[in-house]
């Protein structure tokens, strides 16, 4: 008689073990191993191989002509920019973000605009009643949009309903953690239920040509909750970032099988919902009538879009013997430690008796290594109390040797800075721009920047 196998699945990372343990061996999380029913194994299945008895599949060459997939515009240009041009028929998109960040609002606005443009759209909410979604749409001024609403959590009921007649062009599931499949045991939100429900919805999307959007919860560290295999199953993974205390939101593509992952969409949360920001640099720059010590403007690059942000540094001298503190908001703390070490070892500046605070204005997060020179300029300005010229921007990568290295897309960064009224740029010496939109001051080493700012 066949015996069912017992297995224990981690609810955090999805790893499988045949014995229970208090701590997961893969992700080191505690009390996340939950027992699930495994497959029934018979002696025939154990001895049988898979080299026969199947159907033949058709193999095609890599050089076969394939047309580019058709795109469905969402009606929101910033949303389409992050998607790579719009939704693809038969694609599956996973969007995650902190609670209250605006995921449901953004998707409801996109669904309503697509419905008003003539597309058939279905919006299924597992967390809210249909009347709640209607009230939100009415508050956003989209109450007359022909969006088909439903409040359900059974994957079988949803797919049975949508399979009758013509499938919709867009299906929004809010959220995947509330869906339940009766094919397996387990409560909604467990790893097995999330995986099974997502698999059935993605299969429906591939077979019927419907673009499916799944809303996912996030964990405390900001990653999408549930098994990582969920991110591998979908075609596109979007992250909706931002602080609820700030006005702006950033939609970033983490994975995209139909486009690049280097584009972002910028939105602002207002009373009427999310509005597009075509010029995001205005969000992250403060109006400065006079020079302020410790501040530098850095032209960051998100994909093909330059965004000017203000880097703020505060250097506080401490009494002898006190332990200095290093605090960073919006940048890598390890990279700040590296810049401070290079300034001390190569340039002779001492920060050992100073507390250093670094902040990216507006809550923006910078990951571009080209910010090294701008951060160094802000630190030098904060230590010497000499402001960086208000009409100057700075960008460049700093090596451990103190060398200032060139970065990609320098002319594009300077063009955006010139558009916003800046007149000069502190850049690596090898930066070339013909013609240069700004007056360039080049530096081969970080020591040359220190001498320039200190007037030596």
């Amino acid at each position: 008689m066949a015996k069912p196998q017992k297995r224990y699945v981690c609810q955090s990372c999805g790893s499988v073990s045949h014995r229970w343990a208090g701590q997961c061996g893969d992700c080191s999380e505690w009390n996340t191993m939950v027992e699930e029913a495994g497959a029934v194994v018979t002696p025939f299945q154990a001895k049988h191989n898979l080299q026969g008895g199947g159907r033949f599949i058709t193999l095609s060459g890599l050089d076969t002509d394939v047309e580019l997939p058709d795109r469905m515009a969402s009606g929101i240009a910033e949303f389409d920019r992050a998607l790579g041009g719009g939704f693809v028929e038969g694609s599956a998109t996973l969007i995650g973000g902190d609670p209250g960040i605006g995921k449901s609002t953004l998707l409801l606005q996109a669904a309503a605009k697509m419905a008003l443009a003539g597309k058939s759209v279905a919006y299924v909410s597992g967390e809210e009643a249909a009347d709640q979604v209607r009230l939100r749409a009415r508050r956003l001024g989209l109450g007359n949009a022909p969006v088909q609403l439903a409040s359900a959590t059974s994957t079988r009921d949803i797919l049975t309903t949508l399979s009758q007649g013509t499938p919709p062009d867009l299906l929004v599931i809010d959220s995947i953690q509330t869906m339940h499949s009766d094919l397996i045991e387990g409560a909604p939100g467990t790893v097995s239920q999330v995986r099974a429900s997502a698999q059935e919805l993605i299969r429906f999307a591939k077979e019927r040509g419907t673009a499916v959007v799944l809303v996912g919860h996030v964990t405390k560290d900001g990653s999408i909750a549930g098994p990582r295999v969920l991110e591998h199953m979908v075609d596109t993974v979007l992250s909706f970032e931002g602080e609820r205390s700030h006005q702006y939101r950033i939609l970033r593509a983490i994975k995209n099988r139909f486009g690049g992952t280097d584009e972002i969409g910028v939105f602002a949360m207002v009373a009427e919902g999310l509005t597009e920001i075509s010029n995001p640099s205005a969000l992250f720059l403060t109006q400065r009538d006079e020079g302020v010590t410790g501040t530098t403007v850095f032209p960051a690059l998100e994909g093909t879009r330059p965004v000017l942000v203000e880097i703020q540094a505060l250097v506080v001298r401490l009494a002898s013997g006190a332990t200095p503190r290093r605090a960073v908001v919006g940048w890598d703390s390890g990279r700040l430690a590296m810049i401070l070490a290079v300034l001390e070892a190569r340039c002779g500046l001492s920060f050992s008796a100073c507390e250093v605070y670094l902040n990216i204005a507006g809550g923006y997060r910078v990951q571009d290594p080209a910010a090294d020179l701008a951060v160094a300029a802000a630190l030098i300005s904060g230590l010497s109390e000499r402001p960086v010229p208000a009409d100057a921007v700075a960008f460049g990568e700093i090596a451990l040797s103190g060398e200032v290295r060139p970065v990609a897309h320098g002319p594009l960064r300077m063009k955006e800075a010139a558009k916003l009224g800046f007149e000069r740029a502190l850049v690596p010496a090898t930066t070339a721009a013909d013609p240069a939109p700004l007056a360039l001051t080049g530096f081969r080493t970080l020591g040359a920047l220190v001498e320039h700012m200190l007037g030596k």
Side-chain angles (χ1 to χ4, degrees):
M1 182 178 178
K3 295 182 179 180
Q5 284 186 335
K6 288 185 178 180
R7 64 176 187 175
Y8 298 87
V9 181
C10 175
Q11 303 300 297
S12 178
C13 66
S15 64
V16 180
S17 175
H18 295 290
R19 291 185 179 181
W20 183 87
Q23 184 182 29
C24 175
D26 292 337
C27 65
S28 301
E29 293 290 336
W30 289 91
N31 301 322
T32 58
M33 305 300 292
V34 177
E35 180 182 352
E36 293 185 1
V40 177
V41 179
T42 63
F44 173 77
Q45 291 174 329
K47 297 179 181 179
H48 189 63
N49 61 51
L50 299 178
Q51 297 183 8
R55 61 182 180 86
F56 290 97
I57 59 177
T58 303
L59 301 177
S60 59
L62 187 62
D63 56 349
T64 304
D65 292 335
V66 179
E67 296 183 358
L68 293 176
D70 295 332
R71 298 277 185 172
M72 293 186 298
S74 65
I76 304 176
E78 295 294 310
F79 197 3
D80 292 338
R81 174 190 287 269
L83 287 170
F87 291 106
V88 177
E89 296 181 1
S91 64
T93 302
L94 176 65
I95 177 172
D98 293 332
I101 204 68
K103 302 183 297 296
S104 300
T105 301
L106 175 64
L107 291 177
L108 183 59
Q109 289 183 246
K113 291 187 177 183
M114 291 181 66
L116 292 172
K119 300 291 184 181
S120 58
V121 180
Y123 190 103
V124 180
S125 176
E127 300 177 346
E128 299 177 289
D131 290 341
Q132 290 179 283
V133 181
R134 290 191 185 93
L135 290 176
R136 182 189 297 122
R138 190 175 302 170
R139 188 177 71 249
L140 299 176
L142 301 170
N144 60 340
V147 177
Q148 300 299 314
L149 298 178
S151 179
T153 58
S154 173
T155 307
R156 182 183 295 274
D157 295 344
I158 296 172
L159 296 181
T160 300
T161 303
L162 297 178
S163 298
Q164 306 297 324
T166 304
D169 297 317
L170 177 68
L171 170 62
V172 178
I173 302 294
D174 186 8
S175 66
I176 188 60
Q177 274 81 10
T178 61
M179 295 296 111
H180 177 269
S181 173
D182 56 10
L183 295 178
I184 59 175
E185 298 179 357
T190 59
V191 169
S192 56
Q193 284 290 348
V194 170
R195 185 192 298 118
S197 300
Q199 184 175 5
E200 293 299 323
L201 291 168
I202 294 173
R203 181 186 303 174
F204 173 81
K206 303 299 181 184
E207 292 177 353
R208 307 301 296 271
T210 299
V212 174
V213 181
L214 308 176
V215 178
H217 296 168
V218 296
T219 58
K220 293 180 180 179
D221 59 356
S223 60
I224 297 177
R228 293 305 299 268
V229 69
L230 183 60
E231 299 183 23
H232 297 292
M233 293 167 62
V234 299
D235 301 308
T236 305
V237 180
L238 301 176
S239 176
F240 208 32
E241 304 172 357
E243 300 290 339
R244 280 182 290 180
S245 58
H246 289 86
Q247 183 185 22
Y248 82 96
R249 305 286 189 269
I250 293 179
L251 184 64
R252 189 186 308 273
I254 301 176
K255 168 189 174 182
N256 195 348
R257 289 175 178 166
F258 302 107
T261 58
D262 54 359
E263 293 290 354
I264 64 170
V266 183
F267 303 87
M269 179 65 77
V270 296
E272 295 78 18
L274 290 165
T275 60
E276 303 176 60
I277 302 297
S278 58
N279 184 16
S281 298
L283 287 175
F284 310 114
L285 289 180
T286 58
Q287 300 295 329
R288 294 177 297 167
D289 297 331
E290 58 184 15
V292 180
T293 60
T295 61
T296 312
V297 177
F298 165 61
L301 202 64
E302 294 285 353
T304 59
R305 163 179 282 182
V307 180
L308 268 65
V309 296
E310 185 178 76
I311 296 177
Q312 303 169 348
L314 177 62
V315 180
V316 182
R317 291 179 174 84
L318 299 178
S320 177
T323 302
R325 183 184 177 190
R326 307 285 189 260
V328 186
V329 178
W331 205 49
D332 185 13
S333 58
R335 205 157 186 90
L336 173 63
M338 185 196 77
I339 299 299
L340 291 173
V342 174
L343 285 172
E344 292 205 15
R346 307 295 182 185
C347 305
L349 299 181
S350 178
F351 291 87
S352 58
C354 302
E355 286 188 343
V356 177
Y357 300 90
L358 187 72
N359 176 52
I360 308 299
Y364 190 81
R365 296 186 181 274
V366 174
Q367 299 177 345
D368 193 347
D372 290 353
L373 196 66
V375 170
L379 292 172
I380 298 169
S381 174
L383 182 66
S384 64
E385 297 184 355
R386 297 190 179 187
V388 178
D391 61 348
V393 297
F395 61 89
E397 184 178 358
I398 297 176
L400 290 177
S401 61
E403 176 190 3
V404 180
R405 295 181 176 179
V407 295
H409 305 292
L412 185 60
R413 300 173 192 265
M414 291 185 287
K415 183 178 180 181
E416 178 70 12
K419 188 188 305 181
L420 294 177
F422 291 88
E423 299 179 356
R424 48 181 142 173
L426 310 178
V427 297
T430 55
T431 301
D434 188 22
L438 302 175
L440 302 183
T441 305
F443 306 96
R444 293 190 178 276
T445 62
L446 186 57
L449 174 67
V450 174
E451 294 178 358
H452 174 77
M453 294 187 60
L454 300 182
K456 295 182 180 180

